Amino acid sequence: MGDWIKTIINVVFGVLVVLVADGSARLVTTEFWPLAVVMPVLVAGLVLFEKGFNGLIDWGFPSEVQPARKSKAQGFARFARLLSLPVGIAIGLILALFGLTDATLAMV
């Protein structure tokens, strides 16, 4: 069951990534283009800060928690999980091509 839930999450993530990229690309053509330039820089800075902070916490407070077991998906569930992100990206591209970006993001 967990593999099917992860498959659905991957599809939704793929759709949202493409729709946000489409929105950012449309933002470049407006008078708010500096926002489209600054947003990726701020997100990259946030990711670097978070990685550094997590490394500092792990160094200061090491944990002895064992890593989770690897998923042993079999058959169709494994194949569906493998293709879920590309399918989500394809769905997002189709929605963006038909101009349904705003309507789809409004539902979320």
Side-chain angles (χ1 to χ4, degrees), residues 57-82:
I57 295 295
D58 289 341
W59 176 73
F61 303 100
S63 67
E64 300 298 324
V65 177
Q66 298 294 326
R69 289 187 227 168
K70 299 227 182 233
S71 173
K72 294 183 181 182
Q74 298 292 327
F76 188 70
R78 183 174 183 195
F79 184 68
R81 187 168 172 203
L82 179 69

Side-chain angles (χ1 to χ4, degrees), residues 16-41 43 96 101-102 105:
L16 291 178
V17 164
V18 171
L19 294 180
V20 168
D22 178 58
S24 295
R26 287 190 301 155
L27 192 62
V28 170
T29 62
T30 66
E31 64 271 5
F32 297 110
W33 66 268
L35 186 62
V37 173
V38 170
M39 277 191 321
V41 173
V43 169
T101 303
D102 297 329
L105 289 177

